[in-house]
Structure formats: structure tokens, C-alpha cells
Amino acid sequence: MKEKVILAYSGGLDTTAIIPWLKENYDYEVICCCIDVGQGNELDGLEERAKLSGAAKLYIEHITDEFVDEYVLPCVKAGAVYENKYLLGTSMARPAIAKRLVEIARKEGAAAICHGATGKGNDQVRFELGIKALAPDLKIIAPWRCNDTWKMQSREDEIAYCKAHGIDLPFDASHSYSRDRNLWHISHEGLELEDPANAPNYDHLLVLGVSPEKAPEEGETISLTFQEGAPVALNGKQMKASEIIAELNTIGGRNGIGIVDIVENRVVGMKSRGVYETPGGTILMEAHTQLEELILDRDTLAYKKGIGDKFADVVYEGKWFTPLREALQAFVESTQKYVTGEVKVKLYKGNIIKQGTTSPYSLYNESIASFTTGELYDHHDAEGFINLFGLSLKVRAMMMEAKKEA
């Protein structure tokens, strides 16, 4: 019997061409595995396409809820944002996909896992670190790094290769944006975005929504309810987190929310420019941040900011299945025990505007914070505090004056 290889399969031209290439160069039985993390209609027609391309079998694994609950929500709770802008849409999905690929490989008794990520990108790192952490014995095949056998360098090359192997599928050589989509976001790279001097062509580019200029002239107010850091209701309606994100994508998209144009530093060392659409995720992250402002004490809030930045780096670099990520997440979870309440925001032409936040665990005390303070705060107490707080400054100033006089 032939050895089996599990191919991370999207149904696009790259992974379609990889099927006959694997059979030709490795004599493997190719088992395709498409992991559904909320990419929508991209799954249509995959089974027929995989079989026509020479695959022995196709798995379509629906893991959207697992993706949201086990990968997205920990990042939301952490406030994990890479380089101040990127909400980690692709980064969070890759370990979820790698985990399911390993599970299918074990089920099928496969000898290897193959992915179609290029040798220039982050995804090769994320996929392979995940596979190594979960199944160090499995061989990993990355065709784009196989210079001796992978000779295709363009869409035209791949189409010709498929036709030479009897695969005539509805692909053409026209070039468009390179995109990655899941429930959390969609990314865009290529075309005019390859030159940072160019403005994005939003009329041609956007998929999930509209630009702020084309959003409605009237704002839209919504409410989000959180329980221990996780969203549990939208506009008072109890929903699964994945359903909340899907609905927020629709609401945020039509109001021009969550469009980010960034030049980011890839793990492999180069800078790359891309546009991310994350309408629902942007609203969710902002609402969670607003709730934490009300609930977390000053020291925890400040320390958690650094933890969130580190969490983002760990996820971006593909280090999900590591002791460090587990330890960081344990800290984050301990901070979320009382992050419960309701956040109201108005969405208006790309902006998220506060409309009020409430929580039974709020540390905001009106009696203390109000200008008409009550008995909980004595203005005179500030004098002694300032004297002690500024003592080191005063001592240094006295020393400098003495040196001038000497």
C-alpha cells in the first residue's frame, strides 16, 4: 500500500496543482483536508474538484466554533494586537488548522503533511511549528521550497501543469489580490498594495464592507454583553460567540469599521504591506477594552498591556502550542474573572464611539471621582501624598542648586 500524505487543501489553483505534483514526485496517496474556519462560499464545489485533481479522499472539517472559542477569544481577552494594528486573523487560524491536520493524519495513518504556503510568508512557520509541536514524527512537505521538483513560478505554469496531467478546471491566469479569509477577517495583499506609495483601491478591494466615506450618514448604536471577558449577547440577544462575530461583521462592514492598512514585519525578516478587514473583531476588541477600563485596577491594567503585546507576538510567530502561550493565557484568564458587563457603542463612518459602559464589578466610584466629592475623599490628603511622591525630585533639585553655588 502507498503511504498517505495529508494536504492542507483550499481548492485554489496552488493546492490543486500540488495534488498531481505529490503523486508524481512522492507516489503518495493524497488525502485532501479543508478546514472550515468560517471562509464561507469558498468551500463550494471542493469535493468534485479534489477528486478530479486526483485526490483519494477529501475531508471538510467544520471547526468555526472551536476556532472562535479556543483561539479567537483568548486573543480578545488578552487584547492581543500585533504592531498596534493587526488583529491576528490569519495568525489565530493557523494553529487551529494545524491541530486538525494532525488529527486527520493520525486517523489515516499518514506519513506526512503537505501545505501550500510560500517560502516568503509567515504561514509556513505557523503551520510547521504547530505540526512539530503536536506530531514531531510526521514529515512536512512544502512544495514552494522544493526547488528541484517544484518548477512552477506563476499561475500560467500551474494551469499548464494541471492540463498536462488531465486536470481541466475553471482557473484562469488573471491575477488578483492574494486573500485569506475566515470568520474573524479577510486579508488582502498584492496588486497596488505591493507599493506602499499607492493608496488602496477600496472600491475594488473590500469584501466584507464599505469604506467609511460610503457608510451611511446616520450612526448605528449597538450593545455587547460580556461574561468573564467573553461576549455572550448582542443587543440583548443571547448568542454563541461565533454568531456574535458573524453578526458584528455585517453591522461593522456596512458602517466602514475595521479597515487597516499596515506595513508589518514578517517573522521571516521582510516587511510586507497588506489591508485587513476585521469589522466584527474590531468592534469586539474595542468593547472589551472599554469594559476592562472600568473593572481592572491600575496596576493589573498596565501590566496586562505588556502581556497582551507579548501574546500577540507569540501568536503571530506561530508559537501557539508552547508553554509560554499557556502561561500568558493563564495570567489573562485570571484577569477576566470580573470582566462582566454591558458596553454600548455607536458605529459611524469607520468610528466606534462610546455610548456608556456598565458593570456590577465597576471600580469607578462617583462619590470619589466627582468634583463634588463626598466623605470618601479629602482634598487635603493629596498634599502629603504629593510631598512623598515628589520627594526624590525635590532632593535632586536641592543637590543641583547646591552644586551651582559651590
Side-chain angles (χ1 to χ4, degrees):
M1 292 180 63
K2 291 184 178 181
E3 287 190 317
K4 299 177 181 179
V5 60
I6 305 300
L7 171 62
Y9 181 70
S10 68
L13 181 55
D14 285 352
T15 53
T16 296
I18 287 173
I19 296 173
W21 178 85
L22 282 169
K23 295 173 70 174
E24 183 176 48
N25 289 280
Y26 292 88
D27 196 30
Y28 278 133
E29 179 182 341
V30 180
I31 297 172
C32 291
C33 189
C34 176
I35 313 297
D36 175 19
V37 285
Q39 52 265 51
N41 59 12
E42 292 181 11
L43 303 177
D44 295 347
L46 284 191
E47 186 161 4
E48 180 183 4
R49 187 175 303 171
K51 294 290 179 64
L52 285 173
S53 304
K57 187 186 296 187
L58 170 67
Y59 285 88
I60 297 180
E61 298 289 296
H62 302 285
I63 65 165
T64 302
D65 285 336
E66 177 185 332
F67 166 54
V68 169
D69 295 341
E70 297 183 19
Y71 299 86
V72 172
L73 291 188
C75 291
V76 172
K77 293 177 182 179
V81 181
Y82 182 70
E83 295 188 338
N84 300 312
K85 289 184 178 180
Y86 173 41
L87 299 186
L88 300 171
T90 301
S91 310
M92 296 184 295
R94 294 318 189 214
I97 293 170
K99 180 172 178 282
R100 188 52 61 96
L101 290 173
V102 167
E103 290 169 354
I104 298 299
R106 295 305 194 205
K107 179 179 177 180
E108 288 287 343
I113 292 176
C114 178
H115 65 78
T118 72
K120 288 187 175 182
N122 294 316
D123 283 341
Q124 58 180 339
V125 178
R126 296 166 183 155
F127 280 135
E128 295 184 33
L129 290 189
I131 294 166
K132 289 177 186 295
L134 300 173
D137 57 300
L138 289 179
K139 182 178 180 179
I140 300 172
I141 301 172
W144 282 94
R145 303 201 305 257
C146 297
N147 296 332
D148 293 338
T149 53
W150 182 266
K151 303 298 184 182
M152 294 166 276
Q153 299 299 317
S154 67
R155 290 182 66 83
E156 290 86 353
D157 290 345
E158 291 177 323
I159 291 169
Y161 183 82
C162 287
K163 286 185 176 180
H165 289 78
I167 305 168
D168 192 8
L169 292 171
F171 295 118
D172 60 54
S174 63
H175 184 61
S176 63
Y177 297 103
S178 174
R179 291 184 166 113
D180 177 75
R181 182 174 184 175
N182 57 50
L183 183 66
W184 186 249
H185 88 154
I186 184 168
S187 64
H188 312 267
E189 294 178 343
L191 298 187
E192 79 276 2
L193 302 180
E194 291 190 342
D195 185 349
N198 294 332
N201 181 0
Y202 285 130
D203 289 339
H204 182 227
L205 179 151
L206 296 177
V207 173
L208 299 181
V210 298
S211 64
E213 294 88 343
K214 295 192 174 182
E217 294 300 322
E218 297 236 351
E220 184 171 355
T221 299
I222 63 169
S223 69
L224 276 164
T225 305
F226 291 84
Q227 184 74 39
E228 296 187 1
V232 294
L234 173 59
N235 293 330
K237 181 181 178 182
Q238 298 282 325
M239 303 166 71
K240 294 191 300 184
S242 59
E243 294 170 336
I244 290 174
I245 292 170
E247 184 63 24
L248 286 176
N249 279 336
T250 300
I251 297 170
R254 64 177 174 244
N255 286 285
I257 304 295
I259 301 167
V260 168
D261 182 352
I262 181 176
V263 175
E264 70 192 61
N265 290 292
R266 286 182 176 175
V267 177
V268 293
M270 70 182 71
K271 289 184 181 290
S272 69
R273 194 269 189 100
V275 169
Y276 297 103
E277 292 182 75
T278 321
T282 301
I283 298 167
L284 193 60
M285 292 283 277
E286 176 60 26
H288 182 267
T289 297
Q290 290 185 23
L291 189 57
E292 284 192 328
E293 287 178 1
L294 205 62
I295 294 163
L296 296 187
D297 64 276
R298 182 189 184 205
D299 286 346
T300 301
L301 190 62
Y303 195 81
K304 183 176 178 290
K305 178 65 172 69
I307 294 293
D309 290 342
K310 185 61 180 177
F311 201 98
D313 288 345
V314 167
V315 176
Y316 187 85
E317 293 169 3
K319 298 175 181 176
W320 186 273
F321 301 108
T322 62
L324 178 56
R325 192 274 305 167
E326 293 174 1
L328 293 171
Q329 188 171 333
F331 170 85
V332 169
E333 287 294 338
S334 73
T335 68
Q336 301 299 292
K337 183 177 180 181
Y338 300 109
V339 182
T340 294
E342 183 183 61
V343 180
K344 293 180 181 178
V345 295
K346 179 186 285 187
L347 311 174
Y348 178 67
K349 288 188 174 295
N351 297 289
I352 303 174
I353 306 165
K354 283 186 179 182
Q355 298 295 293
T357 308
T358 58
S359 170
Y361 302 108
S362 172
L363 295 183
Y364 181 90
N365 188 307
E366 188 174 354
S367 178
I368 296 176
S370 171
F371 284 105
T372 57
T373 53
E375 60 184 17
L376 287 174
Y377 191 90
D378 187 335
H379 288 274
H380 293 93
D381 291 341
E383 183 176 352
F385 165 75
I386 294 170
N387 284 336
L388 294 177
F389 195 63
L391 183 59
S392 63
L393 296 175
K394 184 175 181 179
V395 170
R396 184 179 185 278
M398 292 168 62
M399 179 272 293
M400 295 298 291
E401 286 294 326
K403 290 293 184 184
K404 287 179 183 178
E405 296 172 1

